[in-house]
């Protein structure tokens, strides 16, 4: 018989619905021993195997575990499997020391897309940012995983009731917090000096911001110069090679890049041996305290925290007006992210079914749809093989959008507002780089209730500030991590923490490049001939460096942050912000008949300045006429299968 304690651990790691035979439990134990990993890290490898290797959501059984074993063995042979999880940092000797894992209850655990973890202990709902973290536990009877459409998988704040469908009939105010004309720039026109100015300004602005909030701190120095006493310095974390990957990026391969003002743009190797804990990634702007005794390495002794952003507030009169708009019923918002068809064909039946459900049952106030809509990586798009009637043959991909997507969008009830965000994989948008201009309304003959927003951008729905970026930060950000017990063991929380601290939707520099396992990325260093680009898949970040100012968050945290990702779907609260990854509406699959995916549905109670239960807006201490929105206390997020 398998130890009951181990069974509970498996259920905690792989999900409460996991029921295995004794042999399968023993197989999991053997995998832990063979590859020297714990259950949490084994689950991360299992998720990676499902997403990257087989591109399916496999069930745990002896057959799939055997295949998983072979995958881990092959990965270990290629030196791509790191024992004790992906967050272990190699030391100078090349050994991989064990990192102490700690349980962090500072913010609510995030349910996984199918195998939802649950905590056997009582949660502590305090958070370091002095926010009460919303509780996203399951209802009393956990829902079994199902591939049936519109099946509820998980819920954030289940104690909040779903907004009545009649709420869609009430008007609301939609305000764009960006200047659309600034996104009309021409791509492929980057100039070296303009890019350098922007990158330098990021460093100098961070140093100035730190000094303004720490007026008694010592002056900044040049980390590249020899110094026998501690100094403060500000710079950008960069890898020793632009062609870095998970294997070459470690604590011994990081440099600090200065601006032209602070260190004439020089780079200095970093010695991180004296830091008890850290989480660094390429492109991160940091303020470090330390010294350079030899002139060859900057020995970092402390990472100085950058000032945190404030939270959005609204006046009493504004909140009362919004409450009246909504007739006290609250808002319902649906969020979905492409692709909306199987990658082997262009068929949008599932999207049409969702639109029917939106019009007849859900009746949300707002629908947010992230691209790609006509995916460049779709096989029919790649081959140009479209199955249309003879009288509707498209001349280009724009015609394909008009024939396939526009009619579906026109079916959405005109009382329901729709917001479209493009993707770098969209074939029908002028910009293939980030930041990205919006779709062309006239070209695609979009209806009046469809709004077109650039990627990324922020907008307000009544008082609720929403930020959205349709570029996979969770997948692209590669970090060097060492935990001292103060940092979160949850990688998603650390990534979001970096986003907030850097105040940019995509703080990575240089950006990522999507490639196959066979492609040698070094061939792309100095330009490559066409035949050498064979095997490079569509994707990557393609950053427009001179316009990275358009990717900044601003001076305030959003109330809701939408970050679509290929990785596991989740809804959670980080620093008082409702964070949502709706997942992909139809996940990539080798099978032409598989169309599994997810989307999210938010229900947000109306603001009530007279609420006494503490689960609504909260008065600002020094100003009785201003209120914190506290959306994380009055927002329910349901994740459904598509």
């Amino acid at each position: 018989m398998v130890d009951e304690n181990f069974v509970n651990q498996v259920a905690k790691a792989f999900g409460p619905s996991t029921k295995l035979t004794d042999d399968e439990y023993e197989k999991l134990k053997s995998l832990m021993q063979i590859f020297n990993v714990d259950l949490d890290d084994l689950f991360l490898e299992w998720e990676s195997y499902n997403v990257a290797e087989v591109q399916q959501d496999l069930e745990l059984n002896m057959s799939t575990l055997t295949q998983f074993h072979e995958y881990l063995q092959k990965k270990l042979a290629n030196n791509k499997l790191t024992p004790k999880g992906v967050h272990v940092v190699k030391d100078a000797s090349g050994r991989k020391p064990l990192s102490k894992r700690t349980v962090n209850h500072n913010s609510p655990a995030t349910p996984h897309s199918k195998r939802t973890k649950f905590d056997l202990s009582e949660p502590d709902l305090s958070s370091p940012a002095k926010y009460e973290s919303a509780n996203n536990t399951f209802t009393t009877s956990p829902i079994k995983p199902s591939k049936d459409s519109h099946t509820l998988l998980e819920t954030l704040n289940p104690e909040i009731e779903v907004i009545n469908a009649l709420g869609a009939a009430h008007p609301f105010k939609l305000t764009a917090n960006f200047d659309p004309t600034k996104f009309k720039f021409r791509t492929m026109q980057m100039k070296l000096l303009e890019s350098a100015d922007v990158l330098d300004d990021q460093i100098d602005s961070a140093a100035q911001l730190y000094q303004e909030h720490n007026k008694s701190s010592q002056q900044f120095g040049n980390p590249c110069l020899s110094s026998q006493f501690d100094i403060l310095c500000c710079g950008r974390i960069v890898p020793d090679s632009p062609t870095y990957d998970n294997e070459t990026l470690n604590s011994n391969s990081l440099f600090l890049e200065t601006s032209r003002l602070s260190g004439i743009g020089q780079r200095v190797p970093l010695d991180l041996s004296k830091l008890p804990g850290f989480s660094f990634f390429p492109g991160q702007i940091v303020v470090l305290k330390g010294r350079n005794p030899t002139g060859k390495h900057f020995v970092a002794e402390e990472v100085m925290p950058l000032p945190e952003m404030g939270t959005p507030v609204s006046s009493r009169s504004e909140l009362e007006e919004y409450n009246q708009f909504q007739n006290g019923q609250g808002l319902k918002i649906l969020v979905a992210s492409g692709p909306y068809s199987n990658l082997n064909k262009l068929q949008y039946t599932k999207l049409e079914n969702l639109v029917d459900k939106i019009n007849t049952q859900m009746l949300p106030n707002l629908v947010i749809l992230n691209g790609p809509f006509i995916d460049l990586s779709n096989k029919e798009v790649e081959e140009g093989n479209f199955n249309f009637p003879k009288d509707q043959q498209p001349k280009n991909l724009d015609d394909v959008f008009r024939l396939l997507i526009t009619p579906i969008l026109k079916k959405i009830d005109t009382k329901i507002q729709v917001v479209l965000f493009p993707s770098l994989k969209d074939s029908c948008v002028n910009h293939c780089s980030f930041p990205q201009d919006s779709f062309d309304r006239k070209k695609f003959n979009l209806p009046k209730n469809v709004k077109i927003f650039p990627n990324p951008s922020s907008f307000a729905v009544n008082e609720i500030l929403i930020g959205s970026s349709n570029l996979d930060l969770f997948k692209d950000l590669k970090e060097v991590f060492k935990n001292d017990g103060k940092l979160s063991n949850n990688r998603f929380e650390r990534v979001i923490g970096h986003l907030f601290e850097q105040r940019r939707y995509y703080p990575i520099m240089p950006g990522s490049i999507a490639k196959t396992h066979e492609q040698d990325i070094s061939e792309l260093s100095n330009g490559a001939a066409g035949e050498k680009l064979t095997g490079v898949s569509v994707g990557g970040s393609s950053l427009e460096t001179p316009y990275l100012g358009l990717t900044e968050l601003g001076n305030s945290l959003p109330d809701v942050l939408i970050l679509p990702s290929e990785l596991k779907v989740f809804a959670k609260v980080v620093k008082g912000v409702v964070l949502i990854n709706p997942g992909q509406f139809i996940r990539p699959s080798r099978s032409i008949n598989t169309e599994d995916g997810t989307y999210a549905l938010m229900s947000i109670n109306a603001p009530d300045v007279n609420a006494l239960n503490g689960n609504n807006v909260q008065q600002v201490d020094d100003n009785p006429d201003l209120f914190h929105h506290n959306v994380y206390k009055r927002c329910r997020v349901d994740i459904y299968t598509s």
Side-chain angles (χ1 to χ4, degrees):
M1 290 293 294
V2 180
D3 181 24
E4 185 177 352
N5 185 37
F6 181 72
V7 174
N8 290 334
Q9 291 176 9
V10 171
K12 182 179 178 181
F14 286 82
S17 61
T18 305
K19 295 181 180 179
L20 306 178
T21 64
D22 289 351
D23 290 341
E24 290 163 350
Y25 281 118
E26 290 298 332
K27 181 66 176 177
L28 281 176
K29 278 187 176 181
S30 67
L31 290 177
M32 294 168 59
Q33 295 171 355
I34 292 172
F35 298 102
N36 189 29
V37 294
D38 59 20
L39 271 174
D40 284 340
D41 291 329
L42 191 65
F43 173 76
L44 290 177
E45 292 293 346
W46 171 257
E47 286 285 286
S48 175
Y49 173 64
N50 275 263
V51 172
E53 188 70 13
V54 299
Q55 297 182 357
Q56 296 183 34
D57 204 359
L58 299 177
E59 295 291 344
L60 274 178
N61 54 50
M62 186 56 72
S63 175
T64 56
L65 284 174
T66 302
Q67 298 170 13
F68 181 47
H69 187 172
E70 296 174 356
Y71 162 77
L72 292 178
Q73 195 69 43
K74 187 186 300 183
K75 195 173 181 182
L76 185 62
N78 294 331
N79 295 321
K80 292 183 178 180
L81 177 63
T82 305
K84 299 306 288 179
V86 297
H87 306 311
V88 177
V89 181
K90 297 180 182 178
D91 61 14
S93 65
R95 296 174 296 178
K96 301 172 183 178
L98 301 183
S99 62
K100 182 179 179 182
R101 299 182 63 87
T102 58
V103 179
N104 180 18
H105 299 292
N106 286 332
S107 60
T110 303
H112 296 291
S113 58
K114 191 168 184 182
R115 301 165 190 82
T116 305
K117 293 186 180 182
F118 67 101
D119 196 349
L120 300 176
S121 61
E122 289 295 325
D124 178 7
L125 296 182
S126 63
S127 116
K130 298 182 180 179
Y131 289 107
E132 293 180 30
S133 297
N135 182 11
N136 63 340
T137 55
F138 273 86
T139 50
T140 54
S141 56
I143 297 162
K144 295 182 179 180
S146 171
K147 293 187 178 180
D148 294 337
S149 295
H150 312 297
T151 299
L152 181 62
L153 293 179
E154 57 200 44
T155 300
L156 172 71
N157 291 341
E159 70 278 3
I160 298 176
E161 295 183 1
V162 177
I163 299 298
N164 193 312
L166 294 177
H170 297 288
F172 64 93
K173 187 176 181 180
L174 182 63
T175 308
N177 291 348
F178 57 86
D179 183 356
T181 60
K182 292 184 178 181
F183 289 85
K184 303 299 180 184
F185 59 87
R186 294 180 62 187
T187 59
M188 307 295 290
Q189 298 287 320
M190 284 193 291
K191 297 180 180 179
L192 186 60
L193 287 179
E194 291 179 354
S195 299
D197 287 341
V198 170
L199 295 177
D200 281 349
D201 183 67
Q202 290 177 353
I203 298 175
D204 296 335
S205 297
Q208 181 180 357
L209 184 67
Y210 179 86
Q211 286 181 314
E212 289 175 354
H213 285 75
N214 299 272
K215 298 187 183 299
S216 62
S217 89
Q218 60 193 103
Q219 292 295 315
F220 280 78
N222 186 349
C224 303
L225 300 179
S226 176
S227 60
Q228 304 304 317
F229 52 87
D230 288 346
I231 64 168
L232 287 179
C233 62
C234 184
R236 177 181 291 104
I237 299 292
V238 293
D240 56 1
S241 169
T243 58
Y244 69 92
D245 54 27
N246 282 331
E247 285 72 46
T248 59
L249 191 67
N250 54 63
S251 59
N252 299 315
S253 65
L254 298 182
F255 282 65
L256 187 70
E257 178 182 83
T258 61
S259 68
R260 285 172 290 181
L261 180 64
S262 62
I264 63 173
Q266 284 184 308
R267 295 180 175 183
V268 60
L270 285 175
D271 182 350
L272 307 179
S273 58
K274 291 190 177 182
L275 290 178
F278 53 80
S279 174
F280 293 140
F281 65 91
Q284 180 180 5
I285 308 298
V286 295
V287 175
L288 300 176
K289 182 179 181 181
R291 64 183 66 183
N292 187 347
T294 64
K296 296 181 179 180
H297 292 81
F298 184 79
V299 182
E301 297 180 357
E302 187 177 356
V303 181
M304 313 303 290
L306 292 174
E308 294 185 351
M309 289 187 292
T311 57
V313 295
S314 295
S315 67
R316 179 186 295 271
S317 59
E318 289 174 329
L319 295 178
E320 290 176 344
E321 180 184 2
Y322 295 141
N323 194 322
Q324 186 177 2
F325 272 166
Q326 300 168 223
N327 199 23
Q329 289 195 355
L331 289 168
K332 183 184 283 189
I333 303 174
L334 183 141
V335 184
S337 180
Y340 298 95
S341 68
N342 187 291
L343 288 184
N344 301 290
K345 58 184 178 180
L346 279 177
Q347 183 175 337
Y348 294 89
T349 305
K350 212 157 194 180
L351 181 59
E352 290 177 337
N353 293 338
L354 177 65
V355 169
D356 290 339
K357 197 170 183 67
I358 287 173
N359 291 333
T360 58
Q361 297 182 35
M362 296 180 185
L363 295 178
N365 302 81
L366 177 66
V367 174
I368 300 174
L369 298 178
N370 295 281
F373 294 92
I374 306 295
D375 195 342
L376 282 169
S377 59
N378 186 285
K379 288 189 177 180
E380 288 193 7
V381 176
E382 288 180 344
E383 298 170 358
N385 182 22
F386 305 115
N387 185 19
F388 287 98
K390 289 185 178 181
D391 59 339
Q392 292 185 346
Q393 286 298 315
K395 296 179 181 179
N396 50 42
L397 290 175
D398 291 345
D399 285 345
V400 175
F401 190 102
R402 280 191 291 267
L403 291 170
L404 293 179
I405 304 299
T406 302
I408 298 176
L409 296 177
K410 287 184 175 180
K411 290 181 181 179
I412 299 177
D413 191 330
T414 55
K415 295 179 181 178
I416 299 173
Q417 296 293 314
V418 181
V419 173
L420 299 187
F421 283 96
S423 164
L424 295 188
K425 289 186 178 182
D426 263 307
S427 63
C428 303
V429 66
N430 292 331
H431 283 189
C432 59
S433 55
F434 188 84
Q436 189 177 27
D437 195 12
S438 57
F439 288 103
D440 190 324
R441 170 185 294 279
K442 293 183 179 179
K443 181 193 294 184
F444 301 122
N445 193 23
L446 297 174
K448 291 184 179 180
N449 62 318
V450 174
K451 312 298 181 185
I452 51 172
F453 285 178
N455 174 32
S457 58
S458 64
F459 58 99
V461 181
N462 287 349
E463 83 284 357
I464 304 164
L465 181 60
I466 300 177
S468 181
S469 174
N470 194 12
L471 187 58
D472 200 338
L473 177 65
F474 298 108
K475 182 180 178 182
D476 292 349
L477 190 144
K478 298 176 176 64
E479 64 176 338
V480 177
F481 175 60
K482 177 183 176 183
N483 201 347
D484 58 354
K486 298 179 181 179
L487 298 173
S488 171
N489 276 323
N490 187 307
R491 180 177 178 274
F492 289 97
E493 291 183 6
R494 292 200 305 275
V495 171
I496 294 303
H498 287 313
L499 185 152
F500 290 157
E501 183 185 58
Q502 301 296 302
R503 305 186 179 209
R504 295 194 302 279
Y505 285 106
Y506 194 87
I508 305 172
M509 175 62 66
S512 68
I513 295 178
K515 62 186 180 69
T516 61
H517 296 295
E518 294 79 15
Q519 175 68 29
D520 182 6
I521 193 174
S522 63
E523 295 177 354
L524 304 178
S525 298
N526 300 310
E531 62 270 13
K532 290 188 176 181
L533 296 176
T534 302
V536 178
S537 61
V538 176
S541 54
S542 305
L543 302 181
E544 285 283 343
T545 308
Y547 298 94
L548 288 181
L550 298 175
T551 69
E552 295 180 356
L553 284 174
N555 298 322
S556 169
L557 290 171
D559 292 309
V560 178
L561 184 59
I562 301 171
L563 296 175
S565 172
E566 295 179 18
L567 303 184
K568 58 190 176 184
V569 60
F570 60 82
K572 66 187 308 172
V573 174
V574 178
K575 293 189 175 181
V577 178
V578 179
L579 176 66
I580 300 174
N581 168 24
Q584 295 172 292
F585 190 73
I586 295 181
R587 288 179 292 189
S589 174
R590 295 177 182 177
S591 170
I592 195 171
N593 297 316
T594 302
E595 294 189 339
D596 294 335
T598 54
Y599 64 90
L601 188 63
M602 288 190 287
S603 296
I604 308 175
N605 287 333
D608 184 2
V609 296
N610 299 315
L612 301 176
N613 57 7
N615 292 325
N616 210 289
V617 295
Q618 180 182 354
Q619 196 174 72
V620 176
D621 292 337
D622 56 352
N623 193 332
D625 191 50
L626 293 179
F627 292 81
H628 295 291
H629 297 164
N630 283 356
V631 172
Y632 70 99
K633 290 185 178 181
R634 52 190 176 98
C635 175
R636 172 188 176 119
V637 182
D638 294 311
I639 304 293
Y640 290 91
T641 58
S642 58

